[in-house]
Amino acid sequence: MLKDWLLESKYTVVFTGAGMSTESGLPDFRSNKGLWKKKDPSKIASTAALNENVQEFIEFYRERVLGVKEYKPHKGHYILADWEKRGILKSIITQNVDGFHQNAGSKKVAELHGTLQKLHCQQCGKEYSSEEYVNQSYYCECGGVLRPSIVLFGELLPELAFQLALEETNKADLFLVLGSSLTVTPANQFPLIAKQNGAKLVIVNMEPTDFDYYADEVIHNKPIGELLEELNVFV
Ligand code: APR
């Protein structure tokens, strides 16, 4: 099934979530060891949190910035980058903010939820490197607080990334979801749009998702890294 479709497909688009990076050492959000099992996202990953409890916000996101600098892409990220070079996949739409797809060499990546690799001032928008957080420097020269350039709950998705994701989804004849619970809108609409356009939809996720029903193939209980290594033998 999936390995044949990868070979037959003219336009494969891969859609990744936090499950793509757990084998690198980063926690996901909603599995039993996920970040949102310990913290309420509305209280920490929101603009309200940024305004009301900025210390906790900074602490939480400094941890995550340190995490994406400490951990590295795993074999699965490198396989996807190699597939792009070989024309087996055309692009990656990711909800992840770790930058691991680009670090592994992927070129066409739509980062729907922004990136932890950059910060910007909440007041004046000036951009900074995330090194500022590493060095415990949290304020802009204008006095505004620095925050990661990720999409907080309640914020709009970056226009360019959203447009690229929509274009790629509309061109896909094979749409491969890797490691997402597909619980967050509007990101979780892309698999549906692909399916409605007649693409084959494959969902690879350790646990069931609410979208499994629409998929042409579902693969549970298999770590993504292992699956990609197995597929890489065939494609
Ligand atoms: N192999 C396969 N699946 C895995 C693996 C793995 N090695 N590790 C984890 N998973 C699965 C988990 O079972 C889980 O269902 O990946 C899924 C990740 O789901 P979430 O933790 O909900 O992450 P994601 O879908 O990316 O969340 C979307 O929510 O909080 C926001 O902005 C945040 O981008 C994030 C968005």
Side-chain angles (χ1 to χ4, degrees):
M1 305 274 269
L2 176 53
K3 67 177 187 310
D4 306 324
W5 294 340
L6 276 169
L7 290 170
E8 286 153 20
S9 129
K10 301 271 172 302
Y11 212 99
T12 295
V13 172
V14 167
F15 177 95
T16 62
M20 181 74 218
S21 296
T22 53
E23 291 166 71
S24 290
L26 292 180
D28 63 16
F29 297 97
R30 295 174 185 83
S31 66
N32 55 13
K33 297 190 289 299
L35 287 172
W36 300 153
K37 293 294 176 216
K38 303 181 195 98
K39 296 249 179 205
D40 171 356
S42 64
K43 299 244 180 330
I44 195 84
S46 61
T47 40
L50 186 55
N51 301 327
E52 278 139 37
N53 53 350
V54 69
Q55 281 319 320
E56 197 190 347
F57 177 95
I58 288 174
E59 227 168 85
F60 176 73
Y61 280 105
R62 181 170 187 271
E63 267 312 296
R64 291 190 62 199
V65 164
L66 294 175
V68 299
K69 291 179 185 303
E70 180 189 348
Y71 297 108
K72 301 284 169 253
H74 61 73
K75 184 110 177 70
H77 291 99
Y78 287 99
I79 288 173
L80 294 179
D82 181 49
W83 287 3
E84 180 186 30
K85 283 193 198 79
R86 291 163 55 197
I88 294 164
L89 72 84
K90 299 294 183 194
S91 60
I92 295 176
I93 301 169
T94 189
Q95 300 170 94
N96 299 339
V97 293
D98 51 39
F100 285 1
H101 287 302
Q102 295 93 320
N103 293 353
S106 291
K107 300 278 176 267
K108 204 166 178 185
V109 181
E111 290 180 307
L112 290 178
H113 294 161
T115 176
L116 283 173
Q117 304 288 354
K118 282 196 294 224
L119 309 174
H120 65 268
C121 171
Q122 183 68 359
Q123 210 73 30
C124 72
K126 184 170 186 295
E127 283 196 4
Y128 288 79
S129 144
S130 52
E131 283 307 307
E132 300 294 316
Y133 263 33
V134 177
N135 306 327
Q136 299 184 304
S137 136
Y138 303 124
Y139 290 92
C140 176
E141 54 211 21
C142 81
V145 66
L146 300 184
R147 42 135 324 153
S149 297
I150 62 168
V151 177
L152 297 172
F153 281 103
E155 289 185 320
L156 290 176
L157 272 59
E159 183 57 31
L160 278 180
F162 190 87
Q163 283 311 321
L164 174 60
L166 197 53
E167 277 158 35
E168 291 303 297
T169 298
N170 286 332
K171 287 189 228 168
D173 61 3
L174 175 58
F175 197 89
L176 173 56
V177 175
L178 297 175
S180 178
S181 62
L182 296 175
T183 45
V184 170
T185 55
N188 65 359
Q189 299 303 299
F190 289 106
L192 281 191
I193 294 167
K195 184 69 192 153
Q196 278 154 7
N197 290 347
K200 288 214 177 348
L201 173 62
V202 178
I203 298 177
V204 177
N205 201 59
M206 199 59 88
E207 296 160 282
T209 79
D210 293 346
F211 287 62
D212 289 355
Y213 162 79
Y214 299 101
D216 296 279
E217 186 180 3
V218 174
I219 301 173
H220 292 322
N221 301 320
K222 178 173 284 257
I224 288 166
E226 190 182 313
L227 175 77
L228 289 175
E229 286 193 273
E230 282 170 13
L231 289 168
N232 203 29
V233 168
F234 291 101
V235 295

